[in-house]
């Protein structure tokens, strides 16, 4: 055991996994994940998503206990920051977030003049051969990485999330385009499951 183990939930007195899950669900009110690019010009996206849906909070406040320890937050939007905002790297976080917090909505946002729209599969694969002496042609699904067209990339990512068994069935999934200069969001894809009859 390292000296850091005391900072885990598991090492706390009386720990049980169901109780830890209940504690996290109760103290972290997140319901929406906003997947977006790590480009600093895209940093306004989580706030724009909160405003777009209207009933969401971002960035919100941190909640401290009487000892001044951070024990929660009021944000209902959690940003998931990934190169290109592509969903292929987000699937695991969606599964774990559903388990720990419970989710209602995932929003994939791709932004104007994203670096992911600047390169081709051939370009990156050829450069890797020359510069790294490795063949990565079959390493990734390139349609899930580079962006040739935003309607295509957003549709691809919404389908990728929907068809993953680790995605909860009730999840609402949106694909939005973000103009970095105007800050405007445009809805391109909406995949909202019909509510089950009561
Ligand atoms: Zn980008």
């Amino acid at each position: 055991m390292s000296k850091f183990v005391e900072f885990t939930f598991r090492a706390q007195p009386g720990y049980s996994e169901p109780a830890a899950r209940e504690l996290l669900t109760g103290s972290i009110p997140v319901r929406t994940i906003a997947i977006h690019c790590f480009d600093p010009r895209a940093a306004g996206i989580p706030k724009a998503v909160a405003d777009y849906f209207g009933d969401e909070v971002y960035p919100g406040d941190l909640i401290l206990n009487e000892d001044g320890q951070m024990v929660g937050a009021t944000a209902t939007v959690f940003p998931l920051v990934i190169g290109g905002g592509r969903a292929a790297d987000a699937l695991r976080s969606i599964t774990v977030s559903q388990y720990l917090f419970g989710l209602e909505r995932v929003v994939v946002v791709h932004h104007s003049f994203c670096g992911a729209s600047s390169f081709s599969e051939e370009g990156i694969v050829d450069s890797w051969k020359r510069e790294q002496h490795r063949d990565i042609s079959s390493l990734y699904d390139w349609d899930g990485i580079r962006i040739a067209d935003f309607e295509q990339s957003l549709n691809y990512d919404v389908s990728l999330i929907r068809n993953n068994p680790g995605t909860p069935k009730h999840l609402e999934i949106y694909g939005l385009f973000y103009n970095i200069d105007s800050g405007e969001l445009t809805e391109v894809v909406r995949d909202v499951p019909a509510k089950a009859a009561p």
Side-chain angles (χ1 to χ4, degrees):
M1 292 285 190
S2 84
K3 62 181 176 179
F4 303 110
V5 75
E6 66 179 286
F7 297 104
T8 64
F9 281 99
R10 286 175 167 275
Q12 305 312 306
Y15 163 83
S16 81
E17 183 164 342
R21 187 183 182 196
E22 207 175 298
L23 176 75
L24 287 172
T25 306
S27 54
I28 307 289
V30 61
R31 18 169 220 263
T32 293
I33 287 181
I35 302 167
H36 70 82
C37 187
F38 57 17
D39 188 324
R41 301 171 301 164
I45 287 175
K47 177 75 171 83
V49 165
D51 294 344
Y52 183 85
F53 288 99
D55 56 349
E56 299 281 7
V57 180
Y58 185 86
D61 297 305
L62 296 173
I63 297 169
L64 308 182
N65 68 11
E66 55 270 23
D67 298 324
Q69 292 176 305
M70 291 189 212
V71 292
T74 61
T76 63
V77 175
F78 273 20
L80 185 44
V81 181
I82 293 166
R86 300 309 308 266
D89 293 317
L91 301 177
R92 288 163 292 203
S93 297
I94 292 169
T95 304
V96 174
S97 299
Q98 170 61 29
Y99 179 60
L100 293 182
F101 314 124
L103 293 177
E104 292 175 21
R105 193 186 277 152
V106 166
V107 187
V108 181
V109 188
H110 296 163
H111 71 89
S112 55
F113 302 106
C114 182
S117 70
S118 74
F119 68 91
S120 66
E121 174 180 344
E122 299 72 36
I124 195 167
V125 167
D126 288 350
S127 86
W128 227 255
K129 279 186 188 144
R130 281 196 316 275
E131 297 163 17
Q132 308 293 334
H133 312 293
R134 282 181 162 161
D135 180 6
I136 57 167
S137 54
S138 55
L139 184 60
Y140 305 115
D141 180 356
W142 295 99
D143 287 337
I145 298 177
R146 51 152 178 71
I147 294 175
D149 170 76
F150 289 106
E151 271 194 32
Q152 192 183 53
S153 61
L154 287 164
N155 273 290
Y156 181 98
D157 280 3
V158 169
S159 298
L160 187 72
I161 295 169
R162 176 60 72 205
N163 294 326
N164 179 30
T167 297
K169 289 179 183 167
H170 70 271
L171 201 69
E172 298 180 1
I173 310 172
Y174 292 79
L176 304 183
F177 174 76
Y178 179 75
N179 183 320
I180 54 171
D181 293 307
S182 68
E184 187 187 358
L185 284 171
T186 306
E187 190 172 309
V188 177
V189 194
R190 175 190 293 223
D191 179 345
V192 175
K195 291 261 188 291

